[in-house]
Amino acid sequence: MVNDCTAVWNNCLQTIRRNVNNQSFKTWFEPIRPVRLSNGALTIQVPNKFFYEWLEEHYVSLLKMTIRQELGDTGRLEYQILMAKAGQQPQMHDNQIRVPMPPAAGKSKFKGKNINMPGGMDAGNIKNPFIIPGIKKLKVDPQLNPNYTLDNFIEGDCNRLARSAGYAVSKKPGGTAFNPLVVFGDVGLGKTHLAQAIGNEVLNSNPTKTVLYVSCEKFTNQIIESIKNNAVNDLVNFYQLVDVLIVDDIQFLANKTKTQEIFFHIFNQLHQRGKQIILTSDRPPKDLEGMEDRLISRFKWGLSADLQVPDFETRRAILESKMMKEGVHIPPSVSEYICYNIQNNVRELEGVLVSLIAQSTLNNREIDIDLAKKVIRNFVKQINKEISVEFIQGLVAEHFEVPVEKLSGKTRKRHIVVARQLSMYLAKKMTDQSLKAIGDMFGGRDHSTVIYSCKTVQDLLDTDMVFKDTVVELEKKIKLTLNDR
Ligand code: ADP
Ligand code: MG
């Protein structure tokens, strides 16, 4: 009974709380949901595989002890993994993996067992590769990750069009001009999230609709398999059942002539019957290579909307929403630092957050800038250099079109003075150098000159909007150029 499992789990939580620190408890135990208690086994649901592995690695004895205390010596714990961690390979969208807990003290081996996902590759299964077994009425498992919603897809200038088109489509699938809706953009910018969110929203508003998400890779495999088994028609017929078809990463159709042909057929049939098609791609349809023209021209029928790199504020908002979801608190200066340094990829932003939580739990230390630096260094290969004062001088000199050596000279010409003071200001702000060290690098000026420069620049920033914009741009450029190296 549900209540039993909740009660048992609550007891377990009390024991666990006494044995781990608060941060760990919040991070690793609060998100767990008890699912059922049957035959002496308590099943708990964890958000993803990472979570499961973490628990197994770090808390296995505590969990065992706790379960034994609650359920006796024969008590067992089983995990249910709600869904794949974002960004993993398609097969990880297979949800509901049950993992039996190892009986004795031996080290566990991850034994995933699929309970409701077909995979769809067995010959006997091909007719309805996504059917949920055991349900009489034809029901297609949409293959959606319920964690991807429109609500938690943070809006910014970078995604406004795609997001609102997605919203419109979800309210009237097949009934807008956005058919197909093609969402394109670089890796890690939220294509999969948005496409799945639309699917989830359709089902939310209209549970009777048949929605199906499929990665291009899986789709291709199904086709290969169906050709082998002489079952292409079955596959095509199956796809005709769908009201909303989401195909992720269609760039992988490139140079697969047969797959393209079948996809073309499915596309036409669905489109003709007013069904919604949502596609994602890592580039705009016109730039897709190795693709038949007739297919590309179909892609252009609807709306192509791109996802761009989110600006600083949007990155902040995304990170904060992830922090809330994970139930962690990170000082604002640290989240600012992260967003400053991880610019081009939301997935990396998340990765840094997860690593930070892991590192801080593992080493039992506070999340601070030093830890963030360490994690980011591991994460972003490009950031292998600290920003140096010379680097800033070079960029500022270039921007103001003054020879860089003038910054260390004695010239009092107005624009050179501004460039010099601004370089000092940026050096103070963006490097770890002391005032004295900075002064030294500007022709041996003393630290009070650096303080004076910083103050002058700050005053200008407070009063001169144009100047402020210049400085913001320069800071961005310094970070960006650094990442590009
Ligand atoms: P893509 O498919 O473009 O490579 P994903 O959809 O897998 O990217 O996104 C990578 C990660 O970034 C996902 O975990 C997703 O939730 C997150 N993400 C991207 N954009 C946003 C956003 N605007 N708001 C919230 N999370 C986002
Ligand atoms: Mg993707």
Side-chain angles (χ1 to χ4, degrees):
M1 256 167 52
V2 174
N3 282 343
D4 283 350
C5 76
T6 311
V8 167
W9 181 241
N10 283 342
N11 289 345
C12 293
L13 282 180
Q14 283 183 12
T15 309
I16 293 166
R17 190 191 276 283
R18 286 195 297 272
N19 284 284
V20 302
N21 70 31
N22 197 30
Q23 168 107 318
S24 308
F25 186 80
K26 267 184 137 48
T27 309
W28 303 109
F29 294 96
E30 275 187 1
I32 296 176
R33 298 281 163 264
V35 180
R36 80 180 79 81
L37 180 65
S38 68
N39 301 329
L42 174 68
T43 306
I44 56 172
Q45 187 183 65
V46 296
N48 52 49
K49 183 166 165 246
F50 175 79
F51 224 95
Y52 155 76
E53 287 170 344
W54 186 269
L55 288 171
E56 278 287 87
E57 210 173 318
H58 299 276
Y59 299 110
V60 71
S61 4
L62 174 60
L63 283 167
K64 251 186 216 162
M65 187 265 282
T66 317
I67 288 291
R68 195 161 297 146
Q69 189 180 306
E70 291 305 314
L71 299 177
D73 280 349
T74 54
R76 280 173 300 125
L77 184 66
E78 290 189 351
Y79 296 83
Q80 197 176 71
I81 295 175
L82 181 59
M83 80 218 66
K85 183 91 188 111
Q88 272 171 352
Q89 288 310 303
Q91 73 267 21
M92 286 309 297
H93 289 293
D94 301 3
N95 42 14
Q96 307 250 345
I97 301 171
R98 272 169 152 205
V99 185
M101 181 133 158
K107 191 88 184 101
S108 72
K109 180 117 179 55
F110 181 79
K111 277 197 249 134
K113 191 168 129 227
N114 227 336
I115 58 169
N116 83 343
M117 262 287 313
M121 285 304 104
D122 314 320
N125 221 353
I126 198 76
K127 277 189 186 162
N128 293 311
F130 296 105
I131 283 312
I132 300 179
I135 294 182
K136 286 219 180 74
K137 188 175 164 290
L138 177 89
K139 182 125 180 72
V140 174
D141 183 336
Q143 309 284 305
L144 293 169
N145 175 339
N147 261 16
Y148 289 141
T149 64
L150 284 175
D151 279 345
N152 67 22
F153 190 74
I154 305 293
E155 182 172 339
D157 289 341
C158 55
N159 61 30
R160 194 158 287 127
L161 174 66
R163 191 177 181 280
S164 48
Y167 183 78
V169 161
S170 72
K171 291 300 159 209
K172 259 179 113 185
T176 68
F178 311 147
N179 199 14
L181 173 64
V182 183
V183 177
F184 67 92
D186 279 340
V187 64
L189 292 184
K191 299 182 293 295
T192 300
H193 183 141
L194 181 58
Q196 292 223 4
I198 300 170
N200 279 319
E201 188 55 41
V202 169
L203 286 175
N204 241 347
S205 332
N206 194 340
T208 60
K209 292 266 183 223
T210 303
V211 176
L212 178 62
Y213 166 92
V214 65
S215 68
C216 190
E217 209 181 345
K218 188 162 193 162
F219 180 75
T220 307
N221 287 338
Q222 286 176 344
I223 289 183
I224 295 171
E225 207 59 27
S226 73
I227 293 172
K228 245 201 303 201
N229 296 313
N230 216 355
V232 175
N233 280 344
D234 288 344
L235 189 70
V236 171
N237 288 339
F238 165 73
Y239 273 94
Q240 305 304 321
L241 299 170
V242 172
D243 296 311
V244 177
L245 176 63
I246 305 166
V247 185
D248 204 357
D249 288 319
I250 51 161
Q251 71 275 7
F252 293 128
L253 284 176
N255 303 318
K256 294 176 182 137
T257 323
K258 191 70 193 166
T259 308
Q260 285 185 32
E261 191 185 300
I262 296 169
F263 181 67
F264 181 73
H265 187 66
I266 292 173
F267 183 104
N268 283 343
Q269 297 269 328
L270 288 177
H271 198 274
Q272 260 166 29
R273 292 178 22 243
K275 307 297 186 184
Q276 180 69 45
I277 299 151
I278 299 162
L279 308 170
T280 77
S281 158
D282 69 352
R283 64 204 79 178
K286 70 175 172 50
D287 295 341
L288 284 165
E289 283 157 18
M291 206 79 94
E292 282 186 57
D293 286 346
R294 57 179 189 162
L295 209 46
I296 292 189
S297 82
R298 290 295 188 277
F299 296 161
K300 292 188 199 153
W301 276 355
L303 175 79
S304 303
D306 65 336
L307 296 179
Q308 291 179 351
V309 174
D311 59 20
F312 179 77
E313 288 309 323
T314 312
R315 294 200 295 279
R316 248 340 255 285
I318 293 175
L319 190 68
E320 241 130 63
S321 94
K322 307 276 175 199
M323 276 158 46
M324 243 175 43
K325 192 171 134 230
E326 303 278 343
V328 286
H329 306 280
I330 291 185
S333 59
V334 177
S335 67
E336 227 165 73
Y337 180 84
I338 297 172
C339 293
Y340 230 129
N341 283 285
I342 307 287
Q343 304 192 328
N344 300 324
N345 190 321
V346 182
R347 189 175 300 148
E348 273 176 10
L349 207 59
E350 277 181 2
V352 167
L353 182 65
V354 171
S355 287
L356 259 183
I357 299 171
Q359 289 279 343
S360 102
T361 318
L362 181 64
N363 302 322
N364 206 1
R365 68 178 268 197
E366 291 284 310
I367 293 181
D368 56 15
I369 298 252
D370 279 345
L371 192 61
K373 269 189 188 163
K374 202 172 131 211
V375 166
I376 287 175
R377 218 172 280 141
N378 291 340
F379 235 86
V380 186
K381 296 170 278 328
Q382 299 99 306
I383 303 189
N384 47 13
K385 288 202 166 171
E386 296 281 320
I387 297 171
S388 69
V389 177
E390 290 94 337
F391 182 64
I392 292 175
Q393 287 173 327
L395 268 172
V396 174
E398 185 185 88
H399 180 86
F400 284 85
E401 297 178 348
V402 303
V404 69
E405 60 280 1
K406 295 271 188 217
L407 297 181
S408 313
K410 299 259 179 281
T411 321
R412 302 292 313 158
K413 279 194 187 129
R414 169 89 187 131
H415 73 290
I416 293 178
V417 172
V418 172
R420 184 183 296 137
Q421 290 178 332
L422 180 56
S423 312
M424 289 189 203
Y425 167 88
L426 291 172
K428 179 73 197 97
K429 184 167 174 197
M430 302 176 86
T431 75
D432 293 334
Q433 299 293 332
S434 66
L435 293 168
K436 170 158 187 346
I438 294 173
D440 284 346
M441 307 193 67
F442 285 83
R445 289 178 155 82
D446 93 6
H447 78 279
S448 59
T449 311
V450 182
I451 294 178
Y452 176 78
S453 298
C454 292
K455 169 131 191 17
T456 312
V457 170
Q458 191 56 57
D459 288 346
L460 261 179
L461 281 174
D462 293 340
T463 49
D464 183 339
M465 293 314 276
V466 179
F467 181 72
K468 187 170 176 182
D469 286 346
T470 312
V471 175
V472 170
E473 277 310 304
L474 265 169
E475 282 185 31
K476 261 195 209 155
K477 197 166 162 192
I478 291 169
K479 296 278 183 181
L480 270 177
T481 318
L482 196 75
N483 286 351
D484 287 346
R485 287 196 301 189

